[in-house]
Every structure is written in structure tokens, then in C-alpha cells.
Amino acid sequence: MMAGANIATIIVMCLVGYSDRLSPTEHPVLSCVGMTFPLFLLVNMVFLLFWIVFKFRMIWIPILGYALAYVPINIYMPLNLKSVDVPDDALKVISYNVCAYGGNYKYEQGFEKVRDYLFEQNADIVCLQEDVDTWRRYCFQHYEKKFAYNDTVQFVSEGLVNGVGIHTRFPIIRRERIPYRSRVNGSAAWYLQVGSDTLLVINNHFEGTHLSSEDRYVYKEILKGEMKGDTARRESKKLLVTLAESSTKRAPQIEAVCRYIEAHRQYPIILCGDFNDNPISYSRHRMAQVLNDCFVATGKGLGLSYNQKGFNFRIDHVFCSDDIHPYNCQIDSKMDASDHYPVVCTLKIGGND
């Protein structure tokens, strides 16, 4: 009976782990189940411990399960243990959703906290999401003290304001907005002059989950197991429908950016952004078909970039084209002035030649 339960867990774990192949436009609800993947990893670990204690010769079952799910496991929490020396001429890139400089309800001077952090990091290219100025301060006047070139594209709708921005020491040749349907999210591409190269940098803030504060509270209660069975099932279904609707809106946005990338393959490309989706998702999988996921290639561990309790996932990413080599991509969890943590990565143009 226990062996059967373990095998059933493994089957579901693999199905969930490879669910990122499902397009949300065709399978809206099933495409969202990837967020449950860590739960099945833990259950399989419980089975492994059970067999170690009670019937050691059966440990091959959970071990085989982990082997079958190696690909999604490596995506969810890569284990790149080898330390690699970073070339001196590599570029330091930061992608950071700054939560409109709100300070994450911890810092009254949220903008100043973010600004000082970015200055200390001494990055070459900074891509910010929710890079929105207000009447209280003029971001560019501050950023120009460190970054010679600054630009922000704002998205305004129904009184809501969002924006994606770039702050860099490299000259901006031109900027293009990548068109797709969204109320207040968007993507933009900047062409930078980096030595003799024209580097294409794409910054994205894809469709959010649209979960209300009440939805998030319910989700946390479900995870704690403090909700009765019928209520938990009803609320779980409601949450899945909300997430599926958001995922369905997000998929065409991802496709639009992928098409843009395919049309501009002649340039080395760096792509950053807040995907608003977990690592086992169609969003990340589709982007990984056209670019290389820098965290999967060089990161270590879970790399949780969204820091709100109950929703700890890696939803912020840095990707690069084949003619760029990534090094030591990591999530800086010490910087807590937003509901996201910054993604920091070092990249060398032409490093794969």
C-alpha cells in the first residue's frame, strides 16, 4: 500500500513538473499546477525517510522518482556547485521590481533605500519594474549621478501607473515598446552601444496574478491546513480559476516578446523582468526556448525572488542569448525594500565563442 502511494505520488509529481509544456490558452487550469511542484517533492522526501527507517531496500522508489523529475527539479532549484571565475570585462546586470519605491512597508524612504543599494552594487545595466516616479522626487536626477543614461516607459490606464526602466552607463541608441494587450503591464527593448557591439536589452513586467488580499489570506490558510475540507476545495478551485485567467492573459504577452526576440537574433540579447509566474510555468519554459535562463544555468538553490509569505517563488528572471555567457546569477535576499528581491547576474558578451 505504501509503495503504491509512493508510486502514485511520483506519477503526479512528474505530471506537475512537466506541466510547463501546457499552453494556458489551451489548458488554462492545468497550466497553473506547477506551483504545487514543491509540495510533491516534499511528500516524496517523506516516503524516502519512511523507507530508510522501515524498509531500506524500497528506497529505490523515491530515488527513481527524483531521477524522473530531474529536469523540473533542476529548473526549480538548480545545483550549480562549481565556482567559476568571472572575467574582468563582464557586465553586471540587475533586474529588480522596486514596488513603485514603496519601501515594502518597512522603509519610509523607499526610493532612497533602492537608490543607495543600486549605487553600491556598481552595476553596468539596471532593469527596473514598477519604475514609477512621483511628485515627491525625480528619479532621474538621482540616478544620473551614477548612471549616465536613463529611460523609463510608463503604462497608464484607468488611474493606474506602471513602468519599466533602464539605468546604465552605456549609451542608449534607441528604444522600442513591444506591443501586446495589457491594461497596465508591458515590455520595452533598448539598444545599447557596448564597445563595438549593439546590445539589445528587453525589460518586462508581465500580467500579474490579480489575487486580492483576501485571496492571498485564503491561500495561506489552505497551506496551513486550517480550512475545512469542503471550504478548502471550494476556495482552491476559486484561486485556480483566478490564476488560470491571469495565465491566459500572460501567455500572448510572452509570445509577443518571443517573436520580437526571434526577429532580432542578429544582436546579443539580455532579457530581464518580473514574469509573475513560478519556475514551473509556461511563461518561463517558453522564454527558455528562445533564450538561456541565467539562474538555471549558474544559480544555486531555490532563489526565491518574491518575498511575501505563502507566495515564495522565483518569479523574476534574467535570460540571455547564446552569444552571451552568464556567471553567478543569484537572488539578493538581503535587499528587502520591495516585495521582490533583486536578481543579480554577471554576463560576458561573446563569452560562448
Side-chain angles (χ1 to χ4, degrees):
M1 186 181 296
M2 291 297 292
N6 195 175
I7 291 171
T9 297
I10 290 169
I11 292 172
V12 177
M13 178 175 69
C14 290
L15 291 174
V16 169
Y18 292 98
S19 65
D20 57 1
R21 275 72 173 168
L22 298 175
S23 171
T25 56
E26 299 176 4
H27 308 280
V29 174
L30 291 178
S31 67
C32 298
V33 299
M35 65 188 301
T36 66
F37 184 63
L39 174 63
F40 292 100
L41 292 179
L42 290 174
V43 173
N44 196 49
M45 179 60 69
V46 171
F47 277 111
L48 177 60
L49 296 175
F50 174 84
W51 296 128
I52 289 173
V53 173
F54 295 102
K55 209 166 189 178
F56 188 79
R57 65 185 179 85
M58 300 294 284
I59 66 169
W60 67 269
I61 299 177
I63 291 175
L64 177 62
Y66 284 132
L68 293 173
Y70 171 76
V71 172
I73 290 173
N74 188 58
I75 291 171
Y76 199 86
M77 47 181 184
L79 300 174
N80 297 294
L81 302 179
K82 185 179 179 181
S83 179
V84 180
D85 294 331
V86 178
D88 294 335
D89 57 347
L91 307 178
K92 187 173 186 179
V93 177
I94 296 178
S95 179
Y96 190 18
N97 183 323
V98 295
C99 196
Y101 302 112
N104 201 19
Y105 307 104
K106 296 181 179 182
Y107 303 98
E108 291 184 5
Q109 302 297 322
F111 171 76
E112 288 74 13
K113 182 74 175 178
V114 171
R115 176 202 63 193
D116 293 346
Y117 169 79
L118 295 176
F119 283 10
E120 291 168 4
Q121 288 296 308
N122 198 31
D124 298 291
I125 300 171
V126 175
C127 290
L128 301 182
Q129 301 84 45
E130 298 191 28
D131 189 14
V132 181
D133 203 353
T134 72
W135 65 271
R136 293 189 299 110
R137 53 188 174 255
Y138 299 94
C139 296
F140 284 11
Q141 291 183 6
H142 291 266
Y143 284 139
E144 285 171 355
K145 297 175 182 177
K146 186 72 174 181
F147 305 107
Y149 305 93
N150 303 272
D151 190 36
T152 297
V153 177
Q154 291 197 341
F155 317 114
V156 182
S157 176
E158 300 175 8
L160 299 175
V161 181
N162 193 3
V164 292
I166 189 169
H167 308 281
T168 176
R169 65 182 184 86
F170 299 113
I172 298 174
I173 301 171
R174 72 179 190 275
R175 172 248 285 173
E176 295 178 350
R177 181 171 174 178
I178 301 175
Y180 56 71
R181 181 177 296 181
S182 178
R183 185 174 64 161
V184 74
N185 292 90
S187 300
W190 284 269
Y191 294 79
L192 308 183
Q193 187 66 50
V194 182
S196 60
D197 293 303
T198 298
L199 174 66
L200 173 54
V201 179
I202 302 173
N203 191 6
N204 310 271
H205 191 186
F206 293 118
E207 196 76 22
T209 58
H210 301 299
L211 293 178
S212 65
S213 298
E214 182 181 352
D215 291 333
R216 294 173 187 271
Y217 173 78
V218 168
Y219 176 72
K220 293 173 186 177
E221 292 297 300
I222 293 173
L223 289 182
K224 292 177 185 177
E226 297 179 359
M227 190 172 289
K228 294 182 179 180
D230 291 341
T231 304
R233 281 191 292 272
R234 184 174 64 254
E235 294 297 333
S236 296
K237 184 177 180 180
K238 179 183 173 182
L239 285 172
L240 265 178
V241 169
T242 302
L243 291 171
E245 290 174 349
S246 301
S247 186
T248 302
K249 294 178 181 178
R250 194 181 304 117
Q253 300 172 2
I254 297 287
E255 293 295 342
V257 175
C258 287
R259 287 194 300 270
Y260 188 90
I261 292 167
E262 294 287 8
H264 297 82
R265 284 289 190 184
Q266 67 271 35
Y267 301 106
I269 300 172
I270 296 173
L271 181 140
C272 302
D274 175 5
F275 280 45
N276 272 311
D277 222 338
N278 74 93
I280 309 300
S281 65
Y282 178 81
S283 302
R284 195 221 66 90
H285 174 73
R286 181 68 182 95
M287 196 62 68
Q289 290 181 319
V290 295
L291 295 173
N292 299 316
D293 187 327
C294 296
F295 189 84
V296 172
T298 69
K300 299 176 183 178
L302 293 172
L304 307 176
S305 69
Y306 188 66
N307 57 44
Q308 299 304 290
K309 291 182 178 179
F311 286 85
N312 303 87
F313 294 106
R314 186 172 77 252
I315 66 175
D316 302 271
H317 302 277
V318 175
F319 287 78
C320 67
S321 53
D322 290 337
D323 48 3
I324 296 178
H325 190 87
Y327 298 87
N328 305 333
C329 189
Q330 57 186 301
I331 311 298
D332 189 352
S333 58
K334 294 180 181 179
M335 179 53 184
D336 59 352
S338 170
D339 52 356
H340 295 244
Y341 294 131
V343 184
V344 184
C345 192
T346 308
L347 302 152
K348 178 174 171 53
I349 300 175
N352 288 339
D353 292 343

